[in-house]
Amino acid sequence: MKKKLVIITGISGAGKNTALSIFESQGYFCTDNLPGLLVEDFLRIIEEKEIDKTAISIDIRSKHLHVDLKELFKKIQHNEYFDLKIIFLDSEDQVLVNRYKETRKNHPLSTEYSLLEGIKQERRAMDGVKGIANYIYDTTNLKVKDLQQKILADFGIEKKDSYHITVSSFGYKYGLPIDADNIVDVRFLKNPFYINELREKTGQDAEVFDYVFSDSMTQEFYEKYKDLIVYMIDKYQYEGRDKVAIAIGCTGGKHRSVSIARKIHEDISKLGYKVYLEHRDIDKGR
């Protein structure tokens, strides 16, 4: 089976880095600004390695190590080891000018031409490559999430396959998790710590889990919380997020938070998302 190879090229400022990051989130081995002169040597290395998916970004920045990109890409299209797809990113001149002004970055040809003239010169140089591209994306009016949706659809990638959710429990006495997107405090729920036979157990044990969920207030809270989380993760996904971290905290991170995290992990998993479960503080203080 041929190895997947995506070459991302086009006009500077049109979103090549954004496109490359989308493939990186899908597990592609990614390289940015690879000089055209080195592409064939790079691909010979990839042939020998256990790398099945590669995405590389090539543009006019490599002009000092330049080759005829159109001829190079046509040659790779006939390579028996790779299934090549070429993405060309473009945008209107005025939008590109505005983006450069907003970011205060210099165009690759800024030392030779004015900004607008540099864009025009680059467009002429890349015109032949655009003609052989498999996918052409005009990002003039595209948001990042729109570009992501187009790429995922064109490459047959299900959105849920690219979306990762981490559900974790933690103890407030050990500090807040620094990487959480959403945190909920469940210290108001009935606490198994005050039951002697449950104190040394955790929410991983059926006795603790059942005790937490036996309370009507826990049940009412959980149904409302689950509805909110399901709504939010759907909206996170729509905005183009690749991963979301949900953290649930109680005092010590052993009983209530673990139980709620277990249940929310189970219910989100049933919806078809990739969900990971972590218990940060479950073994602390033992």
Side-chain angles (χ1 to χ4, degrees):
M1 182 180 295
K2 290 187 175 183
K3 297 186 175 187
K4 294 181 180 180
L5 174 63
V6 178
I7 293 179
I8 301 169
T9 188
I11 306 303
S12 300
K16 293 187 295 298
N17 288 340
T18 298
L20 189 66
S21 69
I22 292 170
F23 285 96
E24 187 173 24
S25 71
Q26 302 305 313
Y28 279 70
F29 178 76
C30 295
T31 300
D32 182 28
N33 192 23
L34 184 66
L37 192 63
L38 302 180
V39 169
E40 291 188 90
D41 289 335
F42 174 78
L43 293 182
R44 277 192 285 271
I45 295 173
I46 296 297
E47 288 175 19
E48 301 171 359
K49 302 297 181 180
E50 294 183 2
I51 301 174
D52 297 323
K53 301 186 297 183
T54 304
I56 58 179
S57 173
I58 304 174
D59 58 32
I60 206 167
R61 286 177 293 175
S62 62
K63 62 183 183 300
H64 297 300
L65 295 173
H66 190 63
V67 295
D68 188 322
L69 291 181
K70 179 180 178 180
E71 293 305 315
L72 173 64
F73 295 166
K74 289 173 69 174
K75 184 176 181 180
I76 298 172
Q77 285 174 331
H78 294 94
N79 188 304
E80 61 180 315
Y81 295 102
F82 294 102
D83 176 18
L84 173 64
K85 294 292 185 292
I86 302 171
I87 291 176
F88 190 96
L89 290 150
D90 202 350
S91 188
E92 292 179 0
D93 288 355
Q94 185 59 58
V95 172
L96 293 172
V97 169
N98 292 342
R99 288 174 183 173
Y100 273 105
K101 287 184 177 179
E102 288 172 1
T103 61
R104 298 183 180 180
K105 291 183 178 180
N106 292 323
H107 187 273
L109 301 180
S110 62
T111 58
E112 304 169 46
Y113 305 98
S114 66
L115 175 55
L116 184 57
E117 184 60 29
I119 292 171
K120 291 180 178 179
Q121 290 291 335
E122 181 181 23
R123 199 178 293 284
R124 294 189 192 100
M126 300 297 288
D127 189 57
V129 174
K130 186 176 183 179
I132 63 170
N134 301 95
Y135 304 100
I136 299 173
Y137 300 121
D138 185 337
T139 65
T140 299
N141 298 307
L142 286 185
K143 296 180 180 179
V144 172
K145 66 180 181 182
D146 299 323
L147 178 60
Q148 183 185 52
Q149 289 171 352
K150 284 179 175 291
I151 289 176
L152 294 180
D154 286 342
F155 282 78
I157 302 171
E158 290 290 335
K159 190 64 186 291
K160 285 185 178 179
D161 292 339
S162 69
Y163 191 44
H164 298 74
I165 301 166
T166 300
V167 178
S168 63
S169 66
F170 72 94
Y172 275 90
K173 66 190 293 184
Y174 301 110
L176 291 171
I178 63 174
D179 59 345
D181 299 297
N182 181 281
I183 297 176
V184 65
D185 183 350
V186 297
R187 287 177 290 185
F188 63 92
L189 299 180
K190 187 167 65 172
N191 195 350
F193 178 83
Y194 297 109
I195 307 299
N196 288 334
E197 57 268 29
L198 300 180
R199 182 172 300 171
E200 297 305 319
K201 296 180 182 295
T202 74
Q204 296 279 53
D205 297 299
E207 301 96 317
V208 172
F209 183 88
D210 292 343
Y211 177 86
V212 171
F213 276 93
S214 67
D215 186 64
S216 60
M217 184 173 66
T218 300
Q219 296 168 18
E220 180 183 6
F221 157 75
Y222 180 77
E223 289 304 316
K224 293 179 178 180
Y225 178 61
K226 181 182 71 172
D227 290 343
L228 175 63
I229 287 298
V230 170
Y231 176 83
M232 291 179 67
I233 63 177
D234 179 67
K235 298 308 177 187
Y236 281 134
Q237 183 183 21
Y238 176 76
E239 287 299 319
R241 298 283 293 274
D242 292 315
K243 55 180 181 257
V244 173
I246 298 167
I248 301 163
C250 63
T251 304
K254 296 177 176 61
H255 299 107
R256 293 165 291 181
S257 61
V258 173
S259 299
I260 299 297
R262 280 182 57 194
K263 182 63 174 167
I264 202 72
H265 169 263
E266 177 185 342
D267 288 342
I268 295 176
S269 297
K270 290 176 182 176
L271 300 177
Y273 295 104
K274 287 184 179 179
V275 192
Y276 302 97
L277 179 63
E278 300 175 353
H279 300 300
R280 191 190 73 176
D281 301 324
I282 196 168
D283 293 321
K284 290 181 179 177
R286 285 188 163 183

